[in-house]
Amino acid sequence: MRVLSGIQPTGRLHWGNYFGAIRQYIAMQTNEQAFYFIADLHALTTLHDPDKLRQHRIDAALDMLALGLDPNRATLFVQSDVPEITELTWLLMTVTQMALLEKCHAYKDKIANKLPADAGLFTYPVLMAADILLYDSQVVPVGSDQIQHVEVARDIAQRFNHRYQGDFLVLPEASVLNDAGKIPGTNGDKMSKSYNNTIELFEEEKPLRKKIMSLKTDSAPVEAVKDPDQCSIFTLYKLFATPEQQAALAARYRAGGMGYGEAKQQLFEAANAHFAPARERRRELAADPATLQNILRDGANRARAVGQKVLARCKVACGLSAK
Ligand code: ADP
Ligand code: TRP
């Protein structure tokens, strides 16, 4: 079974990205059928600084590998290293109705906010459909905001198959990630790059402690009895602690006599211990760019080998190449 997902290289990953998405991608790398790619062509719709894009592409690959993506069990590649993507995008464009794209949120939101939208943003779901369909993907793990795009991909595949009368493209299904418990950020709202309230995954020890110590809390005094379930420090602590550790800290909240500073210290220790090995792995990988380039080149070769077959099938289907 082919599992595929893409990550936009638009900045450093934060705890929300990890617990809401990346951790689950990595758990699905049960065999070499899992494909994960860095969606740099997509990033061009919002990121217009070439040096930043170059850096973010490398960072995204290092992050995924440091977090446990194993290139022997999954295929990791950069989207633009597979030129077949843009060729399939054009074929798909010719079966995509304008009305389908006009319904898509990313575009609709921009128009509603009177922001300029370019054709890249408008047709972004077709590029995403090509990402999915080029590899005969069956399962596409995504956050709830991306379900609509997977449905568009399914719709486009159906139209292509219907127009050319055959099963040329596999119909994909979204597998919605369990991000129901939104991870709170440093101000208590959902953690997000757009809200400037993130804690980055690979934060070094000192800045990590500083960020955690600055988490917003209510102003209850030390002696007050506190409710752990209303406190984002505790919500974050649960991500790292065993059930026993969680119960112990919850009991201290409820007993009174514990200030938030102490809870923050416990959160810091748990988070720091959790991410320290990945930080170390990331340092090692970053010091060895040749290995990273090899992993990405291998990944692109594997992805292209699959993609070229599917594209060839589609070109025969629509008459661009001989039967
Ligand atoms: P941001 O909101 O920082 O721009 P993205 O939209 O790029 O993050 O998120 C990529 C994926 O990470 C999302 O599809 C979602 O699954 C996950 N994610 C992001 N923020 C959170 C959060 N606060 N809680 C849970 N999951 C999150
Ligand atoms: N659009 C996705 C996002 O913004 C990233 C993405 C691009 C993707 N192509 C994909 C996800 C294909 C899954 C499958 O998060």
Side-chain angles (χ1 to χ4, degrees), residues 70-87:
D70 175 354
N72 296 314
R73 291 161 72 210
T75 296
L76 176 68
F77 61 99
V78 176
Q79 183 185 27
S80 64
D81 285 343
V82 181
E84 288 77 12
I85 275 296
T86 48
E87 198 172 347

Side-chain angles (χ1 to χ4, degrees), residues 10 14 16-21 142-146 177 179 181-184 190-194 198:
T10 45
H14 56 70
N17 299 142
Y18 178 65
F19 290 102
V142 282
S144 47
D145 58 321
Q146 296 292 326
L177 300 173
D179 63 353
K182 293 278 181 221
I183 314 294
K190 182 196 164 200
M191 188 179 289
S192 169
K193 281 194 290 285
S194 346
T198 60

Side-chain angles (χ1 to χ4, degrees), residues 47-263:
L47 180 60
H48 303 141
D49 177 330
D51 288 329
K52 271 202 182 137
L53 181 56
R54 269 185 279 273
Q55 188 57 47
H56 287 339
R57 286 176 358 148
I58 294 170
D59 282 336
L62 290 173
D63 289 351
M64 296 291 288
L65 293 166
L67 291 169
L69 190 141
D70 175 354
N72 296 314
R73 291 161 72 210
T75 296
L76 176 68
F77 61 99
V78 176
Q79 183 185 27
S80 64
D81 285 343
V82 181
E84 288 77 12
I85 275 296
T86 48
E87 198 172 347
L88 182 63
T89 300
W90 179 254
L91 303 192
L92 300 181
M93 206 86 89
T94 64
V95 298
T96 306
Q97 305 215 295
M98 292 290 281
L100 183 67
L101 299 181
E102 278 160 1
K103 278 194 297 203
C104 289
H105 299 307
Y107 170 74
K108 256 183 28 190
D109 292 352
K110 276 234 170 158
I111 297 299
N113 290 315
K114 301 210 163 25
L115 292 168
D118 51 38
L121 182 76
F122 184 64
T123 54
Y124 162 120
V126 189
L127 177 61
M128 181 156 160
D131 289 332
I132 296 171
L133 302 176
L134 185 67
Y135 313 106
D136 285 340
S137 311
Q138 288 151 300
V139 178
V140 185
V142 282
S144 47
D145 58 321
Q146 296 292 326
I147 300 173
Q148 186 187 42
H149 292 151
V150 181
E151 278 165 6
V152 166
R154 203 180 156 84
D155 192 309
I156 291 176
Q158 257 161 345
R159 275 175 192 279
F160 188 92
N161 289 347
H162 183 256
R163 179 172 295 172
Y164 298 110
Q165 294 295 305
D167 291 327
F168 304 108
L169 292 169
V170 172
L171 307 189
E173 304 256 7
S175 144
V176 183
L177 300 173
N178 175 22
D179 63 353
K182 293 278 181 221
I183 314 294
T186 49
N187 61 355
D189 296 336
K190 182 196 164 200
M191 188 179 289
S192 169
K193 281 194 290 285
S194 346
Y195 304 150
N196 233 330
N197 63 354
T198 60
I199 307 179
E200 288 176 8
L201 275 187
F202 292 96
E203 204 92 76
E204 291 295 336
E205 190 165 329
K206 268 199 183 147
L208 177 64
R209 176 192 292 272
K210 203 164 154 220
K211 272 243 165 117
I212 290 177
M213 292 303 157
S214 74
L215 283 174
K216 205 174 127 195
T217 60
D218 61 33
S219 51
V222 172
E223 56 286 3
V225 165
K226 300 179 178 67
D227 181 358
D229 300 321
Q230 297 298 320
C231 176
S232 53
I233 303 170
F234 189 72
T235 307
L236 294 173
Y237 183 70
K238 285 198 286 191
L239 299 170
F240 305 103
T242 63
E244 294 74 34
Q245 291 169 323
Q246 295 177 31
L249 186 61
R252 299 214 43 216
Y253 268 81
R254 295 195 182 101
M258 181 198 71
Y260 287 119
E262 261 187 71

